[in-house]
Amino acid sequence: MKAKKKMAIIASYFADETYGLLGPQMAATVIQENTPYDCIVIAVTREDDKTLLKRALADYFGVERPIIGFSTLSGREDLFSFAKECKTEGALTILAGPQADVDCLGENNWQNHPHRFQGLTENFSFSLHGPAEQAKYLLQHLDKNAWKDTPGLLYVSKNNRIIQNPKNTWKEKYLRKVKWSNIYRIGKAGLVSHKITTGQVLQQIGCPYAAQEKRVEIDYPVPIAGIDTQKVKLSLKGCSFCDVAVDKGFYGQLDTETVVEQIRCLPDTSEGMKIPFELINENPIPGLPRLLQQTRESGIRLSQINLIVRADWFLRGEKNLRRALVLARSLGVRILLSSVGFESFDDRILRNLNKGLNVETNLQAIHLMRQLKEEFPQVWGYARSEGAIHGFIHPTPWDTEESSANIQRVLSLHTLPPDILPEHSIPLIIHHASGLGDWIRKVERREGVQFKRYGSIIGWWHEEKR
Ligand code: B12
Ligand code: SF4
């Protein structure tokens, strides 16, 4: 039998992570099963030694030309440089996964504004944005020019023009299967198989909130002294800081059957149950009782489902959630509300984030989360000590003494630090292609200021003189 060719996907990772890398792992599975290539995922932390990584890649590819996909790099400039080095040394480097297109293209109109993020066309042979199965055509035609017809491909032509092929849409048949044994880390002696103890299951692509277009007015950043009363008008879909809203928009829910097939692929615990997994769906509660029922009918034993929910949709789902908790109790399954994107406890900041809800809604959700703990103590989890990390964005460009005092007052009045507040807040991150990217560029243009770029991220905290 002819040996299969080889491909590897490099993705960004944190050292102590228990999660898998669903997107890259799903892509590797699609490639493995539908092309002449074996494909693995290599999870690379900032601390990993790049010389060891190089050596491991050389051992893996042997005499073959390395074909290396890069995905979910989280804006890491060390990995952008690593990709460029591999490309210079003869590898074929493909930037794929979320934001691959906009990160390759660079920031809007950077050609006329040299301080803006100039994109990654020099670091990668090309980018491929959208569903993994688009790579089938590419990998089958690498040696011929026909790869230029690959859907979703973006590349620089010989006469220096950027060519971007239209993307294919998502097809459920490719979203049924994920291998969980295809992820590796770098060890001293080469690639080491990495065991995943918390999985992810895709149930919805994108976010329904990102399907609603709204005309919004966002305040100026406070650091621009004296002009902080001005506003910027924008049309936004989804939360202003959210890259998912721009990247995926809203495609819709997957069939329960597709979701159950993915659950079947998850590794088992030593007790023969599926490992805990996060349901990737911003509005999972309406379908939760049905999902529990269907897994039971399929003979699958679950240990724990982690939910990510918006506070308003959590409140709206109360009735279904109670049904699901009763069912979960009878099945011995735990439900952990692992992340609610509260983001702030100040109404002005929530408005600037275009979160579409207010502090009162966040507090009502917290009240219900705590009440359910009293009613379903064994089945229901929501607190930091139970593994939840709720969203709290701080600092932001709109922090004032008044907003900080306001937030402090809400935190102590409702005793949020012990169970709700995460150990660390996350500073507001502005990806160049997010709604806030447009906001900050408008501020720059109007006020003749510049904010520093950190790769694909705009440093709103670092204003530079022009
Ligand atoms: C669930 C999720 C999490 C979970 C689990 C993450 C994980 N390790 O998988 C948690 C909450 C832990 C998490 C944490 C973080 N996340 Co997160 N997360 C997501 C989310 C919402 C869904 C990811 C997912 O599974 N999608 C479903 C899969 C099937 O879709 P997909 O990833 O697009 O993959 C498909 C295609 O794109 C393609 N594809 C993907 N890779 C490749 C590679 C090749 C070669 C090819 C051909 C195709 C291909 O194939 C897939 C199937 O068709 C995404 C946003 C989103 N909706 O995509 C962010 C996202 C992946 N996370 C992101 C970030 C930044 C983080 C954090 C760094 C945040 C932080 N500051 O802590 C951490 C890092 C975690 C880590 N590296 O270990 C970014 C990555 C940005 C980027 N472009 O690099 C995203 C895109 C959100 C965003 N835009 O900000 N996250
Ligand atoms: S932050 Fe969450 S709720 Fe807001 S648009 Fe993004 S995915 Fe949807």
Side-chain angles (χ1 to χ4, degrees):
M1 210 173 86
K2 203 176 157 201
K4 281 187 99 176
K5 298 181 202 173
K6 286 187 171 171
M7 174 168 176
I9 300 175
I10 288 180
S12 166
Y13 207 60
F14 286 122
D16 302 322
E17 198 52 89
T18 62
Y19 275 102
L21 291 164
L22 181 67
Q25 286 181 243
M26 206 175 232
T29 309
V30 169
I31 289 168
Q32 177 88 29
E33 307 231 319
N34 296 280
T35 73
Y37 285 78
D38 271 333
C39 190
I40 58 167
V41 176
I42 308 176
V44 182
T45 68
R46 268 184 209 279
E47 302 77 33
D48 281 336
D49 182 338
K50 302 291 182 315
T51 317
L52 288 181
L53 174 58
K54 267 270 175 67
R55 209 177 298 150
L57 288 170
D59 287 347
Y60 175 71
F61 286 108
V63 293
E64 284 182 40
R65 181 186 184 194
I67 313 284
I68 313 175
F70 288 79
S71 175
T72 50
L73 298 183
S74 301
R76 271 176 54 187
E77 297 190 68
D78 61 325
L79 290 176
F80 295 161
S81 313
F82 185 78
K84 194 172 185 179
E85 223 177 286
C86 294
K87 183 183 166 195
T88 312
E89 289 165 13
L92 187 93
T93 56
I94 309 165
L95 180 64
Q99 283 121 8
D101 52 353
V102 289
D103 281 354
C104 218
L105 273 174
E107 197 172 336
N108 200 356
N109 204 8
W110 64 262
Q111 292 82 350
N112 296 320
H113 301 271
H115 73 291
R116 294 187 182 173
F117 170 55
Q118 305 200 350
L120 299 167
T121 47
E122 289 189 2
N123 302 54
F124 297 93
S125 312
F126 34 72
S127 78
L128 183 64
H129 186 240
E133 59 274 16
Q134 299 179 125
K136 272 169 48 179
Y137 188 82
L138 172 75
L139 293 172
Q140 280 154 2
H141 298 87
L142 269 185
D143 44 354
K144 307 187 190 93
N145 265 357
W147 58 262
K148 291 183 179 159
D149 298 326
T150 297
L153 201 82
L154 184 155
Y155 63 96
V156 183
S157 70
K158 281 206 181 86
N159 52 7
N160 247 350
R161 280 186 44 231
I162 291 197
I163 314 287
Q164 194 170 11
N165 296 337
K167 270 175 281 188
N168 280 353
T169 184
W170 302 90
K171 288 202 185 78
E172 286 214 30
K173 69 171 177 170
Y174 293 105
L175 301 169
R176 295 165 72 93
K177 199 163 174 191
V178 188
K179 274 176 173 273
W180 289 91
S181 56
N182 59 5
I183 180 163
Y184 291 81
R185 301 273 324 266
I186 302 298
K188 288 222 158 49
L191 296 175
V192 185
S193 174
H194 183 58
K195 192 172 168 207
I196 300 301
T197 52
T198 314
Q200 296 110 29
V201 168
L202 181 69
Q203 192 180 36
Q204 184 167 268
I205 298 184
C207 168
Y209 184 56
Q212 309 166 16
E213 182 148 10
K214 261 204 262 174
R215 191 88 188 133
V216 297
E217 292 190 349
I218 302 185
D219 294 328
Y220 261 34
V222 170
I224 300 191
I227 42 180
D228 60 345
T229 47
Q230 293 220 36
K231 291 187 193 299
V232 173
K233 287 186 185 148
L234 284 177
S235 282
L236 284 184
K237 284 185 166 181
C239 304
S240 60
F241 59 90
C242 178
D243 318 334
V244 178
V246 177
D247 186 69
K248 291 213 164 62
F250 181 51
Y251 167 85
Q253 289 242 356
L254 305 184
D255 275 354
T256 314
E257 204 192 310
T258 305
V259 179
V260 171
E261 278 313 302
Q262 276 182 55
I263 296 176
R264 217 187 276 285
C265 295
L266 288 168
D268 291 329
T269 63
S270 51
E271 289 86 38
M273 291 186 271
K274 293 298 173 193
I275 56 168
F277 65 87
E278 177 178 86
L279 211 48
I280 299 177
N281 180 352
E282 291 282 323
N283 190 20
I285 295 174
L288 195 55
R290 180 137 171 265
L291 184 66
L292 286 166
Q293 227 139 18
Q294 198 111 353
T295 44
R296 179 177 58 181
E297 284 161 19
S298 309
I300 300 173
R301 288 174 63 211
L302 305 181
S303 56
Q304 176 172 311
I305 304 182
N306 296 352
L307 305 178
I308 313 172
V309 196
R310 283 175 57 96
D312 48 352
W313 294 344
F314 172 69
L315 284 170
R316 218 187 292 160
E318 179 175 353
K319 218 163 122 199
N320 270 320
L321 182 57
R322 285 179 186 282
R323 276 182 51 215
L325 288 172
V326 171
L327 197 56
R329 186 163 52 194
S330 71
L331 297 171
V333 181
R334 273 176 57 79
I335 308 287
L336 172 69
L337 186 61
S338 59
S339 184
V340 177
F342 296 117
E343 319 307 6
S344 182
F345 294 95
D346 177 82
D347 277 332
R348 194 174 60 93
I349 294 177
L350 282 170
R351 188 177 45 72
N352 286 328
L353 296 174
N354 192 32
K355 195 67 209 175
L357 48 75
N358 57 21
V359 176
E360 186 49 36
T361 307
N362 279 345
L363 292 173
Q364 282 175 16
I366 291 166
H367 178 73
L368 180 59
M369 284 153 70
R370 289 171 170 166
Q371 192 184 328
L372 290 172
K373 187 69 191 170
E374 286 178 18
E375 295 173 39
F376 299 91
Q378 307 300 330
V379 185
W380 175 246
Y382 77 92
R384 195 167 84 178
S385 60
E386 296 169 301
I389 307 177
H390 300 299
F392 179 42
I393 299 179
H394 180 84
T396 77
W398 309 287
D399 297 336
T400 58
E401 274 179 27
E402 195 191 339
S403 70
S404 300
N406 221 352
I407 292 173
Q408 276 314 320
R409 191 181 50 78
V410 177
L411 298 188
S412 64
L413 193 65
H414 299 272
T415 356
L416 303 190
D419 57 346
I420 299 296
L421 272 204
E423 203 171 321
H424 308 286
S425 61
I426 305 256
L428 180 76
I429 296 170
I430 303 185
H431 182 265
H432 69 94
S434 67
L436 285 178
D438 288 337
W439 165 76
I440 208 158
R441 281 187 290 273
K442 275 200 177 176
V443 174
E444 283 185 325
R445 247 193 336 265
R446 274 198 207 160
E447 304 306 330
V449 293
Q450 286 182 357
F451 291 90
K452 190 168 159 52
R453 271 44 175 185
Y454 297 87
S456 53
I457 302 301
I458 306 177
W460 54 266
W461 57 91
H462 194 144
E463 185 196 335
E464 290 179 322
K465 294 278 164 280
R466 258 217 302 224

